[in-house]
Amino acid sequence: MSIGASNPEYVNARVRSRRASLFADEDYRKLIRMGPSEIARFMEETEYEREINALGSRFSGVDLIEYALNRNLAKHFHDLLDWSEGRLYDLISRYLRKFDVWNLKTIIRGIYTDTDPEAIRTDLIRAGELEEATLDRMLETDTIEDAIEILNRTDYYDPLTVAYEEFEETGALVPLENALDREFYEQLLEDVSRTASQYEPQEGPEAKYIEFLQAEIDFRNARNALRLARSGADLDPASYYIEGGVLFDESELSRLVGNYDELVDHIAENKRYGDRLSGALDRLRDADSLIQFEHALDAALLEYADTLSSIYPASVSAVLSYILAKEREVENIRAIARGREVGLEESEIEEELVIL
């Protein structure tokens, strides 16, 4: 990791400007009442204008919206790297590898469900470090095993190869997806923790980066455990535990996953989260389905990142908060477009949105 001079003040100023242009709750309420073509026209009057115009001759409807969203998202995150210098660049680029994980999960799920490669391609977000040629080659494969083999020169190959054996035994994608999450978070936290302790004080900007990653791991563990508990699959939540968080150990997670109220209480009683997540914890308590719980966790992580960025304005937290907020915008618009395409009621689409 580079230890050259960083420029957080400049980058955070640019990020604040970008954050101000994100869609507001009122914009989502307008979109919910529109069809896909109207949504695309609405987007053309916003910062998505360039993408809508560039892609409009080749795509229409939901396809146009999805390609425009993903291209715009990748552009914004590439801009973050263009603006950043030194260690800040390294911190951001390492975190953006999460989109490599997203893309690999998307391709593996697509192969598993025998989805058309072009439909899979629509969902890819080219903001990570894997080469486009690698992703394109994976899209040409017919089996998950062949797709994994294409990754033989990447860090993801060994954990996926091990997880593939369990996939063959269970037929569930959970082992493969968890292997990707583990590789990303545990490697990232190990690398950053090592350099933070070597070069920066405990409470420096990079410590906030670590604190954010710990929160993301905690909420990922909670999400994965609840998914397993409600799936009915004969899989032990402790086997899919991701190291590095502060909220659970393996035994606690296995115990709490069977009692939803106790799980939420455990989060609330943790001083780090309980003191900073009042509104988000209320949403967690009110969630009556898995999707609502997952959306409440997304909102909680965004609220937590916002809190860190307000307390430590010179840290990388503002950038991480923006990345999450931009992701939420893209996912909300996508959910609205897809919901309108299949004829969902407005109330049903609203349940799919993550709004603070």
Side-chain angles (χ1 to χ4, degrees), residues 36 336-346 348-349:
I336 293 170
R338 287 179 174 176
R340 295 301 293 170
E341 182 183 42
V342 299
L344 293 183
E345 297 292 331
E346 291 181 13
E348 294 176 299
I349 296 175

Side-chain angles (χ1 to χ4, degrees), residues 133-318:
T134 299
L135 298 176
D136 290 339
R137 287 175 59 208
M138 292 181 70
L139 287 169
E140 295 171 0
T141 62
D142 295 321
T143 69
I144 292 175
E145 187 174 19
D146 288 344
I148 292 173
E149 194 59 37
I150 290 172
L151 298 170
N152 62 359
R153 294 186 178 181
T154 73
D155 292 337
Y156 302 107
Y157 179 71
D158 287 342
L160 281 175
T161 300
V162 173
Y164 185 76
E165 296 178 10
E166 190 169 358
F167 163 73
E168 284 194 305
E169 294 174 6
T170 64
L173 290 178
V174 174
L176 295 169
E177 295 187 342
N178 182 260
L180 289 168
D181 286 335
R182 267 184 167 165
E183 174 63 25
F184 169 69
Y185 284 112
E186 293 181 2
Q187 187 64 48
L188 176 59
L189 197 58
E190 179 182 340
D191 289 348
V192 176
S193 297
R194 183 174 60 249
T195 54
S197 62
Q198 185 174 356
Y199 298 113
E200 290 200 9
Q202 180 77 23
E203 292 301 317
E206 199 156 300
K208 301 307 123 188
Y209 186 85
I210 293 169
E211 189 172 329
F212 170 84
L213 292 178
Q214 290 170 334
E216 199 163 45
I217 290 170
D218 282 333
F219 294 163
R220 175 69 61 181
N221 277 330
R223 179 196 307 259
N224 289 348
L226 199 63
R227 276 184 182 176
L228 286 175
R230 296 196 176 185
S231 71
D234 186 22
L235 298 170
D236 178 11
S239 300
Y240 299 95
Y241 175 77
I242 300 172
E243 298 278 356
V246 299
L247 191 55
F248 310 102
D249 59 31
E250 290 182 46
S251 60
E252 283 177 324
L253 199 58
S254 297
R255 175 179 61 82
L256 292 168
V257 72
N259 188 319
Y260 181 80
D261 290 337
E262 200 173 337
L263 177 64
V264 177
D265 286 342
H266 185 79
I267 297 173
E269 290 165 4
N270 181 275
K271 184 172 178 58
R272 175 182 289 190
Y273 302 127
D275 292 350
R276 294 175 174 173
L277 294 176
S278 53
L281 288 171
D282 289 339
R283 284 190 289 272
L284 282 174
R285 293 189 193 284
D286 293 340
D288 56 12
S289 67
L290 179 58
I291 190 66
Q292 286 186 11
F293 175 78
E294 293 188 356
H295 287 169
L297 281 178
D298 289 338
L301 184 61
L302 183 52
E303 183 177 324
Y304 189 71
D306 284 345
T307 302
L308 288 180
S309 65
S310 64
I311 297 173
Y312 306 99
S315 75
V316 71
S317 301

